C-alpha cells in the first residue's frame, strides 16, 4: 500500500515525504541509542558475542525488530568487525584484547522503517595509528554528509570522502557501498565512497540513504572469508567504518542516526 504513494526517479531512487522522514527519525534514533548503550560493555576480556547478546536483548526490550536476524541467513543482531575485519564480522567467541578497535553495526526496524548505523569503539588504550585511522574515517563520513544536498551528485559525496582519506595516505574500500533504505533495508542507489565531482545521479529532496565509508590503513582490497560474510583487508591492515542514515532536505540533509548521548566518536569520554 505504502509503495503506491510517492515517486521514484529515473535512477530508481524513491522520493520520500515528511511523514516518512518522521518514521526514519524514530528508527534512526532507536539504532543510535542502542549503539550509545553498547559503549559501556566494550573493554578487554569481553567477547563480541556478549556485545551482540546485549544488542539483541535491548532490541527485544524496546519492542522493535532486528533487520539483520534472518537477513539472507544472517543470525545475529549486529555485525562486529574487529581490527582488520572491514565489515560483516560475525559476533562470536572472539575475546577483545587491549588496543583492539571494532565497528558495531546495528539495523533496527521501527514501525516498518529501517534505521542503520555503525560506529567504532576501542577496547582499552588505542594505539596512535589506530586512533588516526578512526579520526580520518569519521571525518570522511562527515565530509560526505556535508556534500549531501540537493543539486550535488553522488559523485560529489564519493569525492569528498575519497579525497580526504587519500590526502591522509589511507585508502577507501571499493568492494562495499552505502545504499538507499526506508521501508526496505537495501534499495537503489549504491552510494560509492569514492568518485569524481559532478558524476552520478543528482541528489533531490526526499532521498533517503546511508553513507558508510570503510577506510584502510593499507591497501583497499578486501576478501570474504569461508563463512561467506566476514570481509577482511587482503593485506591484513587495520580498517575502520562509520555509518549514518540520512535524508535529503531542501537545503542539505538530516542525519537520522545522530548519537543522542554525543558518543558517535569513540573519544567522547
Ligand atoms: N548493516 C549493514 C549495512 O550497513 C548490513 C548488514 S547485513 C548483515 O548495510 F546481514 F550482515 F547483517
Ligand atoms: Co548500511
Ligand atoms: Co549498517
Amino acid at each position: 500500500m505504502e509503495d503506491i504513494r510517492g515517486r521514484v526517479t529515473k535512477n530508481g531512487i524513491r522520493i520520500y515525504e515528511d511523514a516518512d522522514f518522521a518514521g526514519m527519525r524514530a528508527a534512526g534514533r532507536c539504532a543510535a541509542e542502542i549503539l550509545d548503550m553498547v559503549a559501556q560493555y566494550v573493554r578487554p576480556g569481553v567477547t563480541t558475542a556478549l556485545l551482540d547478546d546485549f544488542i539483541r536483548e535491548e532490541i527485544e526490550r524496546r519492542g522493535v525488530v532486528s533487520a539483520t536476524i534472518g537477513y539472507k541467513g544472517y543470525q545475529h543482531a549486529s555485525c562486529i568487525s574487529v581490527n582488520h575485519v572491514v565489515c560483516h564480522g560475525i559476533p562470536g567467541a572472539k575475546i577483545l584484547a587491549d588496543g583492539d578497535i571494532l565497528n558495531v553495526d546495528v539495523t533496527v526496524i521501527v514501525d516498518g522503517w529501517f534505521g542503520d548505523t555503525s560506529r567504532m569503539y576501542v577496547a582499552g588504550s588505542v594505539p596512535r595509528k589506530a586512533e588516526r585511522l578512526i579520526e580520518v574515517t569519521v571525518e570522511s563520513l562527515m565530509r560526505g554528509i556535508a556534500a549531501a544536498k540537493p543539486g550535488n551528485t553522488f559523485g560529489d559525496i564519493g569525492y569528498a570522502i575519497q579525497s580526504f582519506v587519500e590526502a591522509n595516505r589511507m585508502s577507501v574500500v571499493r568492494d562495499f557501498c552505502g545504499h538507499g533504505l526506508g521501508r526496505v533495508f537495501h534499495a537503489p542507489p549504491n552510494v560509492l565512497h569514492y568518485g569524481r565531482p559532478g558524476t552520478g545521479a543528482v541528489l533531490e529532496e526526499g532521498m533517503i540513504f546511508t553513507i558508510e565509508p570503510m577506510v584502510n590503513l593499507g591497501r583497499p582490497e578486501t576478501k570474504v572469508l569461508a563463512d561467506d560474510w566476514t570481509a577482511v583487508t587482503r593485506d591484513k591492515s587495520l580498517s575502520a567504518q562509520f555509518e549514518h542514515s540520512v535524508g535529503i532536505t531542501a537545503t542539505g540533509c538530516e542525519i537520522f542516526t545522530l548519537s543522542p548521548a554525543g558518543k558517535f566518536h569513540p573519544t567522547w569520554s
Side-chain angles (χ1 to χ4, degrees):
M1 191 61 159
E2 62 272 0
D3 281 346
I4 293 167
R5 199 157 44 82
R7 179 168 80 80
V8 174
T9 69
K10 65 176 191 293
N11 304 295
I13 305 170
R14 183 165 290 279
I15 302 299
Y16 293 92
E17 297 166 3
D18 285 353
D20 306 329
F21 272 53
M24 286 301 295
R25 212 167 282 140
R29 183 182 178 91
C30 178
E33 283 174 353
I34 292 169
L35 287 188
D36 282 351
M37 298 176 81
V38 166
Q40 64 191 309
Y41 299 103
V42 176
R43 54 181 167 74
V46 309
T47 63
T48 54
L50 180 141
L51 302 179
D52 188 67
D53 284 344
F54 165 75
I55 293 164
R56 186 174 15 77
E57 285 162 16
E58 184 59 24
I59 287 172
E60 239 164 73
R61 196 186 67 77
R62 289 167 178 251
V64 299
V65 175
S66 165
T68 56
I69 297 173
Y71 177 77
K72 296 187 177 172
Y74 195 78
Q75 295 295 334
H76 306 272
S78 61
C79 296
I80 302 184
S81 303
V82 182
N83 293 339
H84 75 297
V85 179
V86 173
C87 64
H88 302 164
I90 300 174
K94 183 177 178 61
I95 298 170
L96 296 178
D98 185 53
D100 280 350
I101 64 168
L102 53 150
N103 174 278
V104 180
D105 190 338
V106 170
T107 309
V108 293
I109 312 171
V110 178
D111 292 333
W113 295 96
F114 285 67
D116 184 6
T117 182
S118 81
R119 61 178 86 151
M120 298 301 293
Y121 301 82
V122 301
S125 50
V126 62
R128 181 60 194 140
K129 277 183 88 169
E131 186 178 41
R132 259 199 77 232
L133 170 66
I134 290 169
E135 278 166 3
V136 167
T137 307
V138 70
E139 173 69 14
S140 77
L141 169 60
M142 298 322 287
R143 287 179 180 230
I145 288 173
K149 56 182 181 190
N152 271 5
T153 67
F154 282 96
D156 292 327
I157 295 175
Y159 178 77
I161 294 166
Q162 181 186 12
S163 58
F164 178 72
V165 167
E166 292 179 352
N168 282 281
R169 308 179 61 82
M170 298 176 195
S171 66
V172 173
V173 169
R174 312 290 204 272
D175 301 335
F176 300 91
C177 57
H179 49 93
L181 81 171
R183 285 191 179 276
V184 290
F185 200 168
H186 294 107
N190 286 332
V191 180
L192 306 184
H193 304 113
Y194 58 94
R196 295 195 319 277
T199 63
V202 176
L203 298 172
E204 291 180 43
E205 183 177 359
M207 290 179 175
I208 292 177
F209 53 88
T210 73
I211 308 179
E212 48 182 299
M214 286 139 277
V215 175
N216 299 345
L217 274 184
R219 295 195 48 83
E221 291 81 11
T222 70
K223 65 175 181 190
V224 175
L225 301 185
D227 61 23
D228 274 347
W229 283 105
T230 313
V232 299
T233 55
R234 281 196 174 264
D235 65 4
K236 304 268 175 43
S237 68
L238 281 183
S239 187
Q241 179 179 26
F242 285 84
E243 174 177 25
H244 271 315
S245 298
V246 306
I248 301 300
T249 63
T251 56
C253 73
E254 174 175 354
I255 304 173
F256 298 124
T257 46
L258 283 177
S259 164
K263 291 182 182 178
F264 191 64
H265 189 284
T267 58
W268 52 272
S269 52

